[in-house]
Amino acid sequence: MLQSLHVKNLALIDEAEVDFTGGLNILSGETGAGKSIIIGSINLALGEKIQKEMLRENKETGELETALVELLFTVEDARARAQLEALEVYPENDEVILSRRIVNGRGAARVNGESVPASRIKEIAAILIDIHGQHEHQSLLSKKKHLEILDDFAGEALAKEKSALAGTYHSYRKLLEEESRADVDTKEREREISLLEYEVKEIEEAALREGEDEELESDYRRFSNGQKIVEAVNAAYGNTGGAEGASELVGRAVREISSVASYDDRLSNLEQQLLEIDGLLNDFNREIADYAESMEFDEETFYEVERRLDTVNHLKDKYGDTIPKVLAALDEKRERLMKLCDYDSYLEGLRADMKKTKATLDKQCKTVSDIRKEAAGRLTEAVTAALKDLNFLDVRFTMEFERTADYTANGYDDAGFLISTNPGEPLKPLGKVASGGELSRIMLGIKTVLADEDAVETLIFDEIDSGISGRTAQMVSEKMNMLGRNHQIICITHLPQIAAMADSHYLIQKSVQNQATVSTIERLGAAQSIEELARMLGGVEITETVRKSAKEMRELAESKKLGR
């Protein structure tokens, strides 16, 4: 459940803290008061792209203000906790904090204080919250979206089979590409064999070793800077090991301190420190002397290193930018050469692999399709019941399956929703029948069904009431009330019928403070909620009659909620 939202320096909001409750949380306010900023802020925290218009400039400096959005979730559902732990997110005291700080237009996301990429936040957010945006219902016009909804409903049983299918499809596509490349005439095959034989020989004769290029580059640097190294080593040895070098001077200091160290414990400590320095210097002098004696910078060895490095770099430029890649290319060329030299056997084996893989793919596609069709029956039955609750009284809702022209990584199903909203009308594709308001209600019905199937506890609806009024609005409010029995609902609305159902009602309003326009949000008490309902009912002028109607609407909603 979304426990609280903290927003700072975004759009019209200076700083706001909102504590949400379980059940149905309603956000209302005048048009332009900043309702969309709340959803926009939540989306930002959940990893969405930063919209420039939401960022604020400092009036004095003209620079962008540092913005912050922070969401606090409580997670008690066992399935949700298991999914989070699979992403290495471990709730602390049943809490998960998602935050996004935006500095100079760039966002930094954190989960429980640890930095994560925005893509990771989205994965985590999908477990905790589901947001239905203002125009999301328009996605129902796409058949592709219908299949996504069905697959979400089918759950893990389908996901496992789809994963196996995708792997087989990948192998199938590789075989198709190989078959296309294999279709060459005799002359072209002979030319390729000749080239492959040359390339294999070139790499084999080089006898490359992994890590050899790094050793050669190190030797080349050492040889090419030999004179500088000699001068520097000799100078260093002269400064530390010569007659007047550091070792001699430290040795004298040791003798002087040792002669008086027995008179004072503090001097004994200093003597020990000097002895350690003396020992380190002596060790250094022996090692640098050995290095100087071992230095060899003959021209013949340098030439061999340079020639070998040129050979290695030539092969890396031609076959891969690292030695492992060059050796991998060698294996591929050997394999290709072997196939072309025994061409008939190669083709026979390739065709056998194609036949076997295609049979497996067909079987897996059928398994996936069977699971989908079984799930589609349950989904459309549940959505039909939900739509009747949303004033589609004579609705018929089903799903039609066809086959794609070829296999895909998602199977061979081309499926879409069909609907009939009036008696006697034939079933037709959803996108060709439903109006905007109907699509909005259909998406609400689908969300209601999906919410009961997964562990997502918090659902946000941004103006789900688009295009509806009257009796339909009343039925939508009752559906929201039912949904709020098992989920936390946060809903932005402009309809009093829906707002009246609130378990917690929040008012977003705009005002001028310190010569600047700001948006604020506050939770309303019972009397304040009725006043807001009256504003939603009556518009500019709120009469006592309107207030009475608002109170009656609130009382009617409370009587409906007693069924909880």
Side-chain angles (χ1 to χ4, degrees), residues 326-357:
V326 175
L327 296 175
L330 174 61
D331 290 338
E332 291 174 6
K333 292 176 185 302
R334 283 171 174 163
E335 184 180 353
R336 178 69 174 166
L337 183 59
M338 183 178 65
K339 290 174 180 177
L340 292 177
C341 289
D342 192 6
Y343 191 62
D344 291 337
S345 296
Y346 163 57
L347 281 182
E348 185 179 341
L350 178 59
R351 287 166 184 153
D353 286 345
M354 278 288 297
K355 183 177 179 181
K356 182 180 178 182
T357 303

PDB file of all heavy atoms in Angstrom, residues 326-357:
ATOM      1  N   VAL A 326      39.260 -13.167 -31.782  1.00  0.00           N
ATOM      2  CA  VAL A 326      39.958 -13.697 -32.960  1.00  0.00           C
ATOM      3  C   VAL A 326      39.926 -15.225 -32.932  1.00  0.00           C
ATOM      4  O   VAL A 326      39.673 -15.878 -33.953  1.00  0.00           O
ATOM      5  CB  VAL A 326      41.418 -13.192 -33.006  1.00  0.00           C
ATOM      6  CG1 VAL A 326      42.178 -13.854 -34.160  1.00  0.00           C
ATOM      7  CG2 VAL A 326      41.453 -11.671 -33.163  1.00  0.00           C
ATOM      8  N   LEU A 327      40.166 -15.811 -31.757  1.00  0.00           N
ATOM      9  CA  LEU A 327      40.154 -17.270 -31.633  1.00  0.00           C
ATOM     10  C   LEU A 327      38.743 -17.828 -31.842  1.00  0.00           C
ATOM     11  O   LEU A 327      38.577 -18.918 -32.404  1.00  0.00           O
ATOM     12  CB  LEU A 327      40.688 -17.681 -30.260  1.00  0.00           C
ATOM     13  CG  LEU A 327      42.165 -17.324 -30.005  1.00  0.00           C
ATOM     14  CD1 LEU A 327      42.569 -17.666 -28.581  1.00  0.00           C
ATOM     15  CD2 LEU A 327      43.071 -18.049 -31.002  1.00  0.00           C
ATOM     16  N   ALA A 328      37.719 -17.070 -31.379  1.00  0.00           N
ATOM     17  CA  ALA A 328      36.328 -17.490 -31.618  1.00  0.00           C
ATOM     18  C   ALA A 328      36.014 -17.453 -33.112  1.00  0.00           C
ATOM     19  O   ALA A 328      35.333 -18.338 -33.646  1.00  0.00           O
ATOM     20  CB  ALA A 328      35.373 -16.585 -30.842  1.00  0.00           C
ATOM     21  N   ALA A 329      36.530 -16.427 -33.816  1.00  0.00           N
ATOM     22  CA  ALA A 329      36.331 -16.331 -35.266  1.00  0.00           C
ATOM     23  C   ALA A 329      36.997 -17.512 -35.975  1.00  0.00           C
ATOM     24  O   ALA A 329      36.467 -18.043 -36.957  1.00  0.00           O
ATOM     25  CB  ALA A 329      36.898 -15.011 -35.788  1.00  0.00           C
ATOM     26  N   LEU A 330      38.153 -17.930 -35.450  1.00  0.00           N
ATOM     27  CA  LEU A 330      38.847 -19.084 -36.020  1.00  0.00           C
ATOM     28  C   LEU A 330      37.977 -20.340 -35.919  1.00  0.00           C
ATOM     29  O   LEU A 330      37.856 -21.109 -36.887  1.00  0.00           O
ATOM     30  CB  LEU A 330      40.183 -19.297 -35.295  1.00  0.00           C
ATOM     31  CG  LEU A 330      40.971 -20.558 -35.667  1.00  0.00           C
ATOM     32  CD1 LEU A 330      41.340 -20.538 -37.158  1.00  0.00           C
ATOM     33  CD2 LEU A 330      42.214 -20.684 -34.791  1.00  0.00           C
ATOM     34  N   ASP A 331      37.363 -20.538 -34.749  1.00  0.00           N
ATOM     35  CA  ASP A 331      36.484 -21.707 -34.573  1.00  0.00           C
ATOM     36  C   ASP A 331      35.305 -21.665 -35.538  1.00  0.00           C
ATOM     37  O   ASP A 331      34.928 -22.690 -36.127  1.00  0.00           O
ATOM     38  CB  ASP A 331      35.972 -21.762 -33.133  1.00  0.00           C
ATOM     39  CG  ASP A 331      37.067 -22.112 -32.137  1.00  0.00           C
ATOM     40  OD1 ASP A 331      38.080 -22.708 -32.566  1.00  0.00           O
ATOM     41  OD2 ASP A 331      36.913 -21.784 -30.939  1.00  0.00           O
ATOM     42  N   GLU A 332      34.704 -20.479 -35.702  1.00  0.00           N
ATOM     43  CA  GLU A 332      33.563 -20.333 -36.617  1.00  0.00           C
ATOM     44  C   GLU A 332      33.967 -20.624 -38.060  1.00  0.00           C
ATOM     45  O   GLU A 332      33.235 -21.291 -38.805  1.00  0.00           O
ATOM     46  CB  GLU A 332      32.990 -18.910 -36.513  1.00  0.00           C
ATOM     47  CG  GLU A 332      32.291 -18.617 -35.187  1.00  0.00           C
ATOM     48  CD  GLU A 332      31.864 -17.165 -35.070  1.00  0.00           C
ATOM     49  OE1 GLU A 332      32.014 -16.426 -36.071  1.00  0.00           O
ATOM     50  OE2 GLU A 332      31.404 -16.763 -33.970  1.00  0.00           O
ATOM     51  N   LYS A 333      35.156 -20.137 -38.448  1.00  0.00           N
ATOM     52  CA  LYS A 333      35.615 -20.339 -39.829  1.00  0.00           C
ATOM     53  C   LYS A 333      35.954 -21.809 -40.084  1.00  0.00           C
ATOM     54  O   LYS A 333      35.697 -22.340 -41.170  1.00  0.00           O
ATOM     55  CB  LYS A 333      36.805 -19.431 -40.123  1.00  0.00           C
ATOM     56  CG  LYS A 333      36.424 -17.944 -40.153  1.00  0.00           C
ATOM     57  CD  LYS A 333      37.602 -17.041 -40.355  1.00  0.00           C
ATOM     58  CE  LYS A 333      37.186 -15.583 -40.242  1.00  0.00           C
ATOM     59  NZ  LYS A 333      36.140 -15.195 -41.208  1.00  0.00           N
ATOM     60  N   ARG A 334      36.543 -22.465 -39.093  1.00  0.00           N
ATOM     61  CA  ARG A 334      36.814 -23.898 -39.230  1.00  0.00           C
ATOM     62  C   ARG A 334      35.513 -24.683 -39.418  1.00  0.00           C
ATOM     63  O   ARG A 334      35.428 -25.579 -40.270  1.00  0.00           O
ATOM     64  CB  ARG A 334      37.544 -24.411 -37.984  1.00  0.00           C
ATOM     65  CG  ARG A 334      39.024 -24.070 -37.924  1.00  0.00           C
ATOM     66  CD  ARG A 334      39.560 -24.439 -36.557  1.00  0.00           C
ATOM     67  NE  ARG A 334      41.013 -24.268 -36.442  1.00  0.00           N
ATOM     68  CZ  ARG A 334      41.661 -24.213 -35.279  1.00  0.00           C
ATOM     69  NH1 ARG A 334      40.969 -24.303 -34.144  1.00  0.00           N
ATOM     70  NH2 ARG A 334      42.967 -24.075 -35.256  1.00  0.00           N
ATOM     71  N   GLU A 335      34.516 -24.318 -38.598  1.00  0.00           N
ATOM     72  CA  GLU A 335      33.226 -25.010 -38.671  1.00  0.00           C
ATOM     73  C   GLU A 335      32.561 -24.775 -40.032  1.00  0.00           C
ATOM     74  O   GLU A 335      32.048 -25.714 -40.655  1.00  0.00           O
ATOM     75  CB  GLU A 335      32.309 -24.528 -37.541  1.00  0.00           C
ATOM     76  CG  GLU A 335      30.980 -25.271 -37.476  1.00  0.00           C
ATOM     77  CD  GLU A 335      30.086 -24.767 -36.348  1.00  0.00           C
ATOM     78  OE1 GLU A 335      30.555 -23.922 -35.532  1.00  0.00           O
ATOM     79  OE2 GLU A 335      28.928 -25.201 -36.279  1.00  0.00           O
ATOM     80  N   ARG A 336      32.570 -23.535 -40.495  1.00  0.00           N
ATOM     81  CA  ARG A 336      31.983 -23.215 -41.792  1.00  0.00           C
ATOM     82  C   ARG A 336      32.731 -23.936 -42.922  1.00  0.00           C
ATOM     83  O   ARG A 336      32.115 -24.463 -43.857  1.00  0.00           O
ATOM     84  CB  ARG A 336      32.030 -21.694 -42.006  1.00  0.00           C
ATOM     85  CG  ARG A 336      31.498 -21.205 -43.344  1.00  0.00           C
ATOM     86  CD  ARG A 336      30.017 -21.389 -43.465  1.00  0.00           C
ATOM     87  NE  ARG A 336      29.500 -20.791 -44.708  1.00  0.00           N
ATOM     88  CZ  ARG A 336      28.301 -21.031 -45.206  1.00  0.00           C
ATOM     89  NH1 ARG A 336      27.472 -21.847 -44.563  1.00  0.00           N
ATOM     90  NH2 ARG A 336      27.901 -20.461 -46.316  1.00  0.00           N
ATOM     91  N   LEU A 337      34.039 -23.980 -42.829  1.00  0.00           N
ATOM     92  CA  LEU A 337      34.857 -24.644 -43.837  1.00  0.00           C
ATOM     93  C   LEU A 337      34.539 -26.141 -43.899  1.00  0.00           C
ATOM     94  O   LEU A 337      34.422 -26.729 -44.989  1.00  0.00           O
ATOM     95  CB  LEU A 337      36.340 -24.424 -43.529  1.00  0.00           C
ATOM     96  CG  LEU A 337      37.346 -25.002 -44.521  1.00  0.00           C
ATOM     97  CD1 LEU A 337      37.137 -24.415 -45.917  1.00  0.00           C
ATOM     98  CD2 LEU A 337      38.780 -24.734 -44.045  1.00  0.00           C
ATOM     99  N   MET A 338      34.391 -26.742 -42.723  1.00  0.00           N
ATOM    100  CA  MET A 338      34.082 -28.172 -42.665  1.00  0.00           C
ATOM    101  C   MET A 338      32.728 -28.452 -43.321  1.00  0.00           C
ATOM    102  O   MET A 338      32.553 -29.432 -44.048  1.00  0.00           O
ATOM    103  CB  MET A 338      34.070 -28.631 -41.201  1.00  0.00           C
ATOM    104  CG  MET A 338      33.829 -30.121 -41.013  1.00  0.00           C
ATOM    105  SD  MET A 338      33.900 -30.596 -39.263  1.00  0.00           S
ATOM    106  CE  MET A 338      32.480 -29.696 -38.617  1.00  0.00           C
ATOM    107  N   LYS A 339      31.755 -27.558 -43.072  1.00  0.00           N
ATOM    108  CA  LYS A 339      30.427 -27.733 -43.656  1.00  0.00           C
ATOM    109  C   LYS A 339      30.469 -27.628 -45.178  1.00  0.00           C
ATOM    110  O   LYS A 339      29.842 -28.421 -45.900  1.00  0.00           O
ATOM    111  CB  LYS A 339      29.466 -26.680 -43.095  1.00  0.00           C
ATOM    112  CG  LYS A 339      29.099 -26.891 -41.629  1.00  0.00           C
ATOM    113  CD  LYS A 339      28.265 -25.737 -41.116  1.00  0.00           C
ATOM    114  CE  LYS A 339      27.900 -25.941 -39.647  1.00  0.00           C
ATOM    115  NZ  LYS A 339      27.138 -24.777 -39.096  1.00  0.00           N
ATOM    116  N   LEU A 340      31.203 -26.638 -45.684  1.00  0.00           N
ATOM    117  CA  LEU A 340      31.246 -26.422 -47.130  1.00  0.00           C
ATOM    118  C   LEU A 340      32.022 -27.532 -47.848  1.00  0.00           C
ATOM    119  O   LEU A 340      31.731 -27.847 -49.005  1.00  0.00           O
ATOM    120  CB  LEU A 340      31.869 -25.065 -47.439  1.00  0.00           C
ATOM    121  CG  LEU A 340      31.035 -23.840 -47.020  1.00  0.00           C
ATOM    122  CD1 LEU A 340      31.798 -22.552 -47.327  1.00  0.00           C
ATOM    123  CD2 LEU A 340      29.684 -23.826 -47.710  1.00  0.00           C
ATOM    124  N   CYS A 341      33.010 -28.111 -47.159  1.00  0.00           N
ATOM    125  CA  CYS A 341      33.787 -29.194 -47.766  1.00  0.00           C
ATOM    126  C   CYS A 341      32.990 -30.489 -47.831  1.00  0.00           C
ATOM    127  O   CYS A 341      33.249 -31.347 -48.673  1.00  0.00           O
ATOM    128  CB  CYS A 341      35.087 -29.403 -46.995  1.00  0.00           C
ATOM    129  SG  CYS A 341      36.283 -28.056 -47.224  1.00  0.00           S
ATOM    130  N   ASP A 342      32.043 -30.653 -46.894  1.00  0.00           N
ATOM    131  CA  ASP A 342      31.160 -31.830 -46.911  1.00  0.00           C
ATOM    132  C   ASP A 342      29.729 -31.322 -47.067  1.00  0.00           C
ATOM    133  O   ASP A 342      28.872 -31.512 -46.205  1.00  0.00           O
ATOM    134  CB  ASP A 342      31.343 -32.613 -45.606  1.00  0.00           C
ATOM    135  CG  ASP A 342      30.682 -33.989 -45.673  1.00  0.00           C
ATOM    136  OD1 ASP A 342      30.202 -34.362 -46.758  1.00  0.00           O
ATOM    137  OD2 ASP A 342      30.618 -34.665 -44.625  1.00  0.00           O
ATOM    138  N   TYR A 343      29.487 -30.664 -48.194  1.00  0.00           N
ATOM    139  CA  TYR A 343      28.286 -29.850 -48.387  1.00  0.00           C
ATOM    140  C   TYR A 343      26.995 -30.652 -48.326  1.00  0.00           C
ATOM    141  O   TYR A 343      26.031 -30.248 -47.682  1.00  0.00           O
ATOM    142  CB  TYR A 343      28.394 -29.111 -49.729  1.00  0.00           C
ATOM    143  CG  TYR A 343      27.349 -28.049 -49.932  1.00  0.00           C
ATOM    144  CD1 TYR A 343      27.278 -26.947 -49.071  1.00  0.00           C
ATOM    145  CD2 TYR A 343      26.442 -28.128 -50.980  1.00  0.00           C
ATOM    146  CE1 TYR A 343      26.332 -25.964 -49.258  1.00  0.00           C
ATOM    147  CE2 TYR A 343      25.487 -27.140 -51.168  1.00  0.00           C
ATOM    148  CZ  TYR A 343      25.435 -26.061 -50.308  1.00  0.00           C
ATOM    149  OH  TYR A 343      24.489 -25.092 -50.487  1.00  0.00           O
ATOM    150  N   ASP A 344      26.962 -31.792 -48.986  1.00  0.00           N
ATOM    151  CA  ASP A 344      25.726 -32.576 -49.030  1.00  0.00           C
ATOM    152  C   ASP A 344      25.310 -33.052 -47.636  1.00  0.00           C
ATOM    153  O   ASP A 344      24.134 -32.977 -47.266  1.00  0.00           O
ATOM    154  CB  ASP A 344      25.892 -33.777 -49.968  1.00  0.00           C
ATOM    155  CG  ASP A 344      26.013 -33.341 -51.422  1.00  0.00           C
ATOM    156  OD1 ASP A 344      25.542 -32.229 -51.738  1.00  0.00           O
ATOM    157  OD2 ASP A 344      26.590 -34.099 -52.233  1.00  0.00           O
ATOM    158  N   SER A 345      26.278 -33.529 -46.867  1.00  0.00           N
ATOM    159  CA  SER A 345      25.972 -33.973 -45.491  1.00  0.00           C
ATOM    160  C   SER A 345      25.520 -32.799 -44.632  1.00  0.00           C
ATOM    161  O   SER A 345      24.618 -32.926 -43.797  1.00  0.00           O
ATOM    162  CB  SER A 345      27.211 -34.624 -44.869  1.00  0.00           C
ATOM    163  OG  SER A 345      27.564 -35.789 -45.570  1.00  0.00           O
ATOM    164  N   TYR A 346      26.164 -31.642 -44.852  1.00  0.00           N
ATOM    165  CA  TYR A 346      25.795 -30.430 -44.105  1.00  0.00           C
ATOM    166  C   TYR A 346      24.354 -30.029 -44.384  1.00  0.00           C
ATOM    167  O   TYR A 346      23.568 -29.763 -43.463  1.00  0.00           O
ATOM    168  CB  TYR A 346      26.758 -29.306 -44.481  1.00  0.00           C
ATOM    169  CG  TYR A 346      26.276 -27.908 -44.127  1.00  0.00           C
ATOM    170  CD1 TYR A 346      25.946 -27.564 -42.815  1.00  0.00           C
ATOM    171  CD2 TYR A 346      26.143 -26.934 -45.117  1.00  0.00           C
ATOM    172  CE1 TYR A 346      25.498 -26.288 -42.505  1.00  0.00           C
ATOM    173  CE2 TYR A 346      25.707 -25.660 -44.819  1.00  0.00           C
ATOM    174  CZ  TYR A 346      25.381 -25.342 -43.509  1.00  0.00           C
ATOM    175  OH  TYR A 346      24.935 -24.082 -43.203  1.00  0.00           O
ATOM    176  N   LEU A 347      23.974 -30.022 -45.668  1.00  0.00           N
ATOM    177  CA  LEU A 347      22.602 -29.649 -46.018  1.00  0.00           C
ATOM    178  C   LEU A 347      21.587 -30.635 -45.440  1.00  0.00           C
ATOM    179  O   LEU A 347      20.526 -30.241 -44.946  1.00  0.00           O
ATOM    180  CB  LEU A 347      22.445 -29.593 -47.541  1.00  0.00           C
ATOM    181  CG  LEU A 347      22.957 -28.346 -48.259  1.00  0.00           C
ATOM    182  CD1 LEU A 347      22.671 -28.449 -49.750  1.00  0.00           C
ATOM    183  CD2 LEU A 347      22.323 -27.081 -47.704  1.00  0.00           C
ATOM    184  N   GLU A 348      21.929 -31.900 -45.485  1.00  0.00           N
ATOM    185  CA  GLU A 348      21.035 -32.921 -44.952  1.00  0.00           C
ATOM    186  C   GLU A 348      20.829 -32.725 -43.450  1.00  0.00           C
ATOM    187  O   GLU A 348      19.706 -32.795 -42.943  1.00  0.00           O
ATOM    188  CB  GLU A 348      21.619 -34.310 -45.235  1.00  0.00           C
ATOM    189  CG  GLU A 348      20.704 -35.457 -44.813  1.00  0.00           C
ATOM    190  CD  GLU A 348      21.302 -36.811 -45.122  1.00  0.00           C
ATOM    191  OE1 GLU A 348      22.229 -36.894 -45.959  1.00  0.00           O
ATOM    192  OE2 GLU A 348      20.842 -37.808 -44.526  1.00  0.00           O
ATOM    193  N   GLY A 349      21.912 -32.451 -42.732  1.00  0.00           N
ATOM    194  CA  GLY A 349      21.818 -32.210 -41.286  1.00  0.00           C
ATOM    195  C   GLY A 349      21.043 -30.952 -40.962  1.00  0.00           C
ATOM    196  O   GLY A 349      20.255 -30.907 -40.014  1.00  0.00           O
ATOM    197  N   LEU A 350      21.258 -29.884 -41.769  1.00  0.00           N
ATOM    198  CA  LEU A 350      20.563 -28.613 -41.552  1.00  0.00           C
ATOM    199  C   LEU A 350      19.056 -28.783 -41.730  1.00  0.00           C
ATOM    200  O   LEU A 350      18.261 -28.284 -40.927  1.00  0.00           O
ATOM    201  CB  LEU A 350      21.105 -27.564 -42.524  1.00  0.00           C
ATOM    202  CG  LEU A 350      20.458 -26.172 -42.474  1.00  0.00           C
ATOM    203  CD1 LEU A 350      20.606 -25.560 -41.087  1.00  0.00           C
ATOM    204  CD2 LEU A 350      21.078 -25.253 -43.537  1.00  0.00           C
ATOM    205  N   ARG A 351      18.673 -29.514 -42.783  1.00  0.00           N
ATOM    206  CA  ARG A 351      17.249 -29.737 -43.022  1.00  0.00           C
ATOM    207  C   ARG A 351      16.617 -30.585 -41.924  1.00  0.00           C
ATOM    208  O   ARG A 351      15.464 -30.351 -41.532  1.00  0.00           O
ATOM    209  CB  ARG A 351      17.060 -30.388 -44.392  1.00  0.00           C
ATOM    210  CG  ARG A 351      17.299 -29.419 -45.546  1.00  0.00           C
ATOM    211  CD  ARG A 351      17.433 -30.119 -46.869  1.00  0.00           C
ATOM    212  NE  ARG A 351      17.765 -29.162 -47.934  1.00  0.00           N
ATOM    213  CZ  ARG A 351      18.427 -29.491 -49.034  1.00  0.00           C
ATOM    214  NH1 ARG A 351      18.844 -30.751 -49.222  1.00  0.00           N
ATOM    215  NH2 ARG A 351      18.685 -28.569 -49.952  1.00  0.00           N
ATOM    216  N   ALA A 352      17.377 -31.545 -41.418  1.00  0.00           N
ATOM    217  CA  ALA A 352      16.869 -32.370 -40.317  1.00  0.00           C
ATOM    218  C   ALA A 352      16.668 -31.524 -39.064  1.00  0.00           C
ATOM    219  O   ALA A 352      15.656 -31.658 -38.359  1.00  0.00           O
ATOM    220  CB  ALA A 352      17.835 -33.520 -40.038  1.00  0.00           C
ATOM    221  N   ASP A 353      17.622 -30.624 -38.790  1.00  0.00           N
ATOM    222  CA  ASP A 353      17.495 -29.720 -37.625  1.00  0.00           C
ATOM    223  C   ASP A 353      16.302 -28.793 -37.788  1.00  0.00           C
ATOM    224  O   ASP A 353      15.573 -28.513 -36.829  1.00  0.00           O
ATOM    225  CB  ASP A 353      18.774 -28.885 -37.463  1.00  0.00           C
ATOM    226  CG  ASP A 353      19.939 -29.707 -36.922  1.00  0.00           C
ATOM    227  OD1 ASP A 353      19.684 -30.810 -36.412  1.00  0.00           O
ATOM    228  OD2 ASP A 353      21.089 -29.232 -37.024  1.00  0.00           O
ATOM    229  N   MET A 354      16.122 -28.289 -39.024  1.00  0.00           N
ATOM    230  CA  MET A 354      14.987 -27.405 -39.293  1.00  0.00           C
ATOM    231  C   MET A 354      13.663 -28.113 -39.017  1.00  0.00           C
ATOM    232  O   MET A 354      12.764 -27.579 -38.367  1.00  0.00           O
ATOM    233  CB  MET A 354      15.020 -26.939 -40.748  1.00  0.00           C
ATOM    234  CG  MET A 354      15.939 -25.778 -41.023  1.00  0.00           C
ATOM    235  SD  MET A 354      15.309 -24.223 -40.355  1.00  0.00           S
ATOM    236  CE  MET A 354      13.804 -24.067 -41.306  1.00  0.00           C
ATOM    237  N   LYS A 355      13.560 -29.347 -39.512  1.00  0.00           N
ATOM    238  CA  LYS A 355      12.323 -30.115 -39.353  1.00  0.00           C
ATOM    239  C   LYS A 355      12.031 -30.381 -37.873  1.00  0.00           C
ATOM    240  O   LYS A 355      10.899 -30.208 -37.403  1.00  0.00           O
ATOM    241  CB  LYS A 355      12.444 -31.439 -40.115  1.00  0.00           C
ATOM    242  CG  LYS A 355      11.179 -32.285 -40.089  1.00  0.00           C
ATOM    243  CD  LYS A 355      11.369 -33.548 -40.921  1.00  0.00           C
ATOM    244  CE  LYS A 355      10.093 -34.409 -40.876  1.00  0.00           C
ATOM    245  NZ  LYS A 355      10.277 -35.664 -41.676  1.00  0.00           N
ATOM    246  N   LYS A 356      13.076 -30.769 -37.135  1.00  0.00           N
ATOM    247  CA  LYS A 356      12.919 -31.073 -35.712  1.00  0.00           C
ATOM    248  C   LYS A 356      12.552 -29.817 -34.914  1.00  0.00           C
ATOM    249  O   LYS A 356      11.645 -29.837 -34.075  1.00  0.00           O
ATOM    250  CB  LYS A 356      14.214 -31.679 -35.172  1.00  0.00           C
ATOM    251  CG  LYS A 356      14.153 -32.084 -33.703  1.00  0.00           C
ATOM    252  CD  LYS A 356      15.485 -32.679 -33.267  1.00  0.00           C
ATOM    253  CE  LYS A 356      15.456 -33.035 -31.785  1.00  0.00           C
ATOM    254  NZ  LYS A 356      16.768 -33.579 -31.332  1.00  0.00           N
ATOM    255  N   THR A 357      13.245 -28.701 -35.191  1.00  0.00           N
ATOM    256  CA  THR A 357      12.995 -27.452 -34.459  1.00  0.00           C
ATOM    257  C   THR A 357      11.604 -26.910 -34.774  1.00  0.00           C
ATOM    258  O   THR A 357      10.897 -26.421 -33.887  1.00  0.00           O
ATOM    259  CB  THR A 357      14.065 -26.402 -34.813  1.00  0.00           C
ATOM    260  OG1 THR A 357      15.360 -26.938 -34.527  1.00  0.00           O
ATOM    261  CG2 THR A 357      13.866 -25.129 -34.009  1.00  0.00           C
TER     262      THR A 357
END
